[in-house]
Amino acid sequence: MPEMPTILRADRLIDGTGATPIDDPYLITDGGKIAAVHAGGIPEGAVPPGTQTMSFPGCTILPGLIDTHVHLNLPGDGSLLETIMRETDGVLLAIAAHTARTALDAGITTVRDVGAARDTVFDLRRALQLGHGTAAKIVAGGQPITITGGHTWPWGGEADGEDGCRCIVRNMCKRGADFIKVMATGGGTVGTLSWLPSFRPEELKALADEAHRNGRMATAHALCARAIEDVIDAGFDQIEHASFITGPNAPQKYEPAVGEKIARAGIPVTGTLAVGGAILRELGGKSDPTPDEQFTVTRWRRMYDENLAQFQQLYAAGVTFVAGTDAGWRFTRFDDLGLEMQLMHAGGMPVMETIVAATGRAADVIRIADRTGRLKPGLAADVLVVAGNPLDDLKRLNDVRFVMQDGKVRVQHNG
């Protein structure tokens, strides 16, 4: 059934392209799509019959936000990864349904899940497509591909050798992966090494090549400089984190030559700065922390500073970033995209560019720009309205007044 044609009005409109905001906008939606954007009025005859008007004085209209790095199976409440990964698929699917809805309520109309157990997120994606539930739209990679015993191995996705790597990419495509995610180093899984490459260079090349042969992009979790270089040389399309960890307890040392190599290759990076910010928010102010909590805060305060400094250096070197939170991991919530954007701005990115990094550019990088990401006629009517002007203060993105997804009103709050 077609959605009711709607005119949305506010003080200004940011369209997701980086263009100058439109004052006194009239955004027309029809049939679940953006029909037109006008400034100062609507030409005669341009309003579809039966149109309703919704006005939001003092507010800003934006495209629905896109979080390019989430883990819907993880609750983001500080639960241990080792514990959650061993829950049944039914439990993980229920968690994913809840977290995807939390994202939508925050104005995040699309999420890219970069690692989940087996078919849990594929199943949720399908249920939402069939109309069973309301949540952020999902771009799904399924199981992260990892070496035997590598990061997130309990979720499946283990592969070794060039033939094994090609086989698992084909299998992931068969199961419905929109893209291919590879764990090029260890990470938070016990027994894995974040400061060393996981796959051999020839295995990475096989993974990227097979992804491309099957019409998928390939992105890699890479936490050390050598793995970053291997991923670039293998022909990957994107890098997650792009950290420079050098040993146990995660000390980091930025390597300018590697940063410049990322920039020259033109490979976008998702920085996931919100992880450290969320940990310090949740644990940093506790008056009586446990020894484990105090250790975590001390370690992550250092890592937070190093990650932000690294972001500044990579951005200054010309690396392209998109916004992604790592939502679900540790204390990173599914409404923390605003926090990620605030930290990107603190790392030197202009405010308008941070908004583009979570809208139009994010859509380009994860290859959904033909569907969403900008307020452009013909694209999905995925719309966020926030109080005030986020160009003055990115915290305004947290004051959500209205969310529309595919022309359907999903969230509406009175001022």
Side-chain angles (χ1 to χ4, degrees):
M1 180 177 178
E3 300 307 316
M4 180 181 293
T6 302
I7 297 172
L8 298 178
R9 297 204 56 199
D11 286 19
R12 68 196 63 79
L13 179 147
I14 297 171
D15 68 3
T17 68
T20 301
I22 297 171
D23 292 329
D24 191 19
Y26 291 71
L27 173 67
I28 303 176
T29 72
D30 192 8
K33 304 286 187 181
I34 303 293
V37 178
H38 301 286
I42 302 176
E44 187 175 349
V47 179
T51 298
Q52 63 174 339
T53 298
M54 305 180 73
S55 296
F56 300 91
C59 293
T60 301
I61 299 172
L62 305 100
L65 302 179
I66 300 168
D67 192 333
T68 69
H69 189 123
V70 308
H71 296 282
L72 292 169
N73 282 169
L74 303 178
D77 61 0
S79 298
L80 293 176
L81 179 64
E82 297 295 316
T83 301
I84 294 297
M85 285 196 299
R86 286 168 171 76
E87 293 290 351
T88 66
D89 284 5
V91 171
L92 296 174
L93 180 56
I95 292 172
H98 174 72
T99 54
R101 176 68 209 213
T102 301
L104 180 61
D105 288 344
I108 302 163
T109 51
T110 302
V111 295
R112 182 177 65 161
D113 188 285
V114 293
R118 293 163 290 280
D119 291 335
T120 53
V121 172
F122 294 152
D123 290 345
L124 176 59
R125 181 187 63 187
R126 179 59 178 158
L128 294 172
Q129 290 169 346
L130 292 171
H132 304 309
T134 301
K137 290 181 277 191
I138 299 169
V139 179
Q143 305 163 38
I145 297 174
T146 190
I147 61 171
T148 296
H151 184 32
T152 70
W153 69 264
W155 281 345
E158 292 173 296
D160 303 289
E162 292 178 61
D163 288 345
C165 288
R166 290 188 183 277
C167 183
I168 198 167
V169 169
R170 294 173 185 176
N171 183 263
M172 293 310 303
C173 294
K174 175 184 175 181
R175 295 169 80 157
D178 294 314
F179 65 98
I180 299 300
K181 166 70 178 299
V182 174
M183 295 301 194
T185 66
T189 305
V190 171
T192 67
L193 308 178
S194 57
W195 59 94
L196 292 175
S198 296
F199 288 97
R200 299 195 308 271
E202 55 268 28
E203 291 173 315
L204 289 174
K205 290 176 182 177
L207 289 162
D209 178 67
E210 202 60 39
H212 295 154
R213 282 166 53 86
N214 285 275
R216 269 72 167 184
M217 69 169 290
T219 189
H221 159 109
L223 296 180
C224 74
R226 299 292 74 75
I228 292 171
E229 291 192 292
D230 288 347
V231 162
I232 294 171
D233 293 341
F236 274 69
D237 304 288
Q238 196 187 351
I239 299 172
E240 311 298 318
H241 315 298
S243 299
F244 292 79
I245 296 175
T246 61
N249 293 321
Q252 297 191 55
K253 183 179 180 181
Y254 177 69
E255 296 188 23
V258 176
E260 291 165 6
K261 185 171 183 175
I262 301 171
R264 285 196 306 272
I267 297 178
V269 171
T270 309
T272 62
L273 298 171
V275 173
I279 287 172
L280 296 181
R281 175 188 64 206
E282 300 298 326
L283 299 180
K286 293 191 72 170
S287 58
D288 189 24
T290 66
D292 283 347
E293 288 172 340
Q294 185 57 56
F295 173 80
T296 298
V297 168
T298 300
R299 181 186 186 205
W300 274 93
R301 199 177 300 281
R302 171 180 56 79
M303 291 177 63
Y304 171 89
D305 291 339
E306 290 174 343
N307 287 335
L308 189 58
Q310 170 189 292
F311 180 94
Q312 292 170 327
Q313 291 165 305
L314 288 170
Y315 184 72
V319 172
T320 298
F321 283 91
V322 291
T325 59
D326 216 349
W329 171 235
R330 294 185 180 266
F331 289 97
T332 317
R333 303 190 308 237
F334 285 80
D335 59 0
D336 267 338
L337 189 56
L339 172 62
E340 180 72 23
M341 296 165 72
Q342 292 165 39
L343 294 175
M344 293 168 76
H345 176 53
M349 184 177 284
V351 173
M352 179 60 88
E353 188 178 352
T354 66
I355 293 173
V356 173
T359 54
R361 183 189 293 164
D364 290 338
V365 168
I366 69 172
R367 302 186 182 180
I368 57 171
D370 61 335
R371 290 173 268 163
T372 191
R374 297 175 174 87
L375 299 178
K376 176 182 174 182
L379 297 186
D382 295 343
V383 183
L384 167 64
V385 179
V386 300
N389 185 355
L391 294 176
D392 293 336
D393 185 353
L394 283 166
K395 291 180 182 178
R396 294 287 189 179
L397 294 172
N398 298 326
D399 195 349
V400 173
R401 298 302 173 88
F402 177 85
V403 179
M404 175 179 278
Q405 184 190 52
D406 293 321
K408 300 180 179 70
V409 177
R410 300 302 198 190
V411 177
Q412 187 170 359
H413 299 298
N414 295 324

